[in-house]
Amino acid sequence: MLDVAVIEEPAAAEASLDPIRSRILAALAEPGSAAMLAVRLGLPRQKVNYHLKELERHGLVELAEERRKGNVTERIYGATAASYVISPSALAAVSPDPSRSPDQLSARWLLALGARLVQEVGTLLTGAARAKRRVASFGIDAEVRFASAADRMAFADELAQVVGALVGRYHDESAPGGRTHRVIVGLHQVPAPQSGAPESTAGPRQEAAGTHETESEAGQEDRP
């Protein structure tokens, strides 16, 4: 079972979003048969079996083993991953495009960057899984509490300068055999906790500074 699987096909995304099927996926963190799942979820076995077949058809669950019980063969299924992420490529016609209106101060542009990150890294993971190789990537997740809006802007300006200097120092357009990587740095406030959720003592978060190979390199071998 993978830690995370990326759903790229629209039909698979639709299947995973069905309320009953999402419950089945969660329950299959521990493999089970249609009869076992019916008991766990309080659903008719025939209904569970139908949804299992649909999830299997889209590669979200897989047959783990078959157990012979008298004249009956019990099919045991397991989820293909512990968790799933739906790639924006599943909604390709309406997925956000960061190149459309770049604006460093726009939260919507930051969201578009995040969507592209999910799409590209998802493509890399899918290709790497097929090739049984690792993906070269790096991520930072940190929190910073600013005393004022002026401090936040000063921080953003300095961060942009540092990242720009690093990119300028290491970027080599003509390097033989070089690989293009993408660097994304974002800054956003941490959303307020929902009612009933434990309140965080942390301040605004400097979120997701990371690098990864571009999607054209999906499945290539990890290397320094």
Side-chain angles (χ1 to χ4, degrees), residues 64 120 129-130 165 169 174 176 180 184 189 198:
E120 291 186 345
R130 291 178 184 143
R169 185 186 309 166
S174 60
T180 301
I184 297 175
Q189 287 185 319

Side-chain angles (χ1 to χ4, degrees), residues 158-181:
E158 187 173 346
L159 184 62
Q161 292 173 18
V162 170
V163 173
L166 281 172
V167 170
R169 185 186 309 166
Y170 288 98
H171 179 68
D172 189 341
E173 190 68 39
S174 60
R179 290 182 176 179
T180 301
H181 288 63

Side-chain angles (χ1 to χ4, degrees), residues 30-184:
E30 178 183 346
S33 65
M36 295 165 65
L37 288 168
V39 173
R40 291 179 197 171
L41 301 175
L43 295 170
R45 183 184 62 79
Q46 293 84 352
K47 178 177 284 191
V48 171
N49 193 57
Y50 166 75
H51 288 297
L52 271 175
K53 295 296 185 184
E54 287 299 300
L55 290 169
E56 183 182 25
R57 187 163 67 92
H58 293 295
L60 301 174
V61 305
E62 60 188 358
L63 182 65
E65 62 174 308
E66 292 184 332
R67 298 173 183 171
R68 190 74 178 175
K69 290 187 175 181
N71 295 327
V72 177
T73 299
E74 185 179 41
R75 295 167 63 86
I76 306 298
Y77 291 92
T80 54
S83 58
Y84 298 86
V85 174
I86 296 178
S87 170
S89 62
L91 295 170
V94 292
S95 61
D97 180 6
S99 65
R100 189 173 299 149
S101 53
D103 180 355
Q104 287 186 323
L105 300 181
S106 168
R108 289 179 175 81
W109 189 61
L110 179 60
L111 193 62
L113 290 177
R116 185 179 63 187
L117 173 69
V118 171
Q119 180 173 341
E120 291 186 345
V121 176
T123 299
L124 287 169
L125 283 174
T126 300
R130 291 178 184 143
K132 296 183 178 180
R133 294 176 176 173
R134 296 181 59 191
V135 175
S137 63
F138 170 77
I140 296 175
D141 179 24
E143 292 187 358
V144 54
R145 188 177 184 89
F146 298 108
S148 66
D151 284 351
R152 185 181 65 237
M153 288 303 299
F155 177 91
D157 288 342
E158 187 173 346
L159 184 62
Q161 292 173 18
V162 170
V163 173
L166 281 172
V167 170
R169 185 186 309 166
Y170 288 98
H171 179 68
D172 189 341
E173 190 68 39
S174 60
R179 290 182 176 179
T180 301
H181 288 63
R182 193 183 305 284
V183 181
I184 297 175

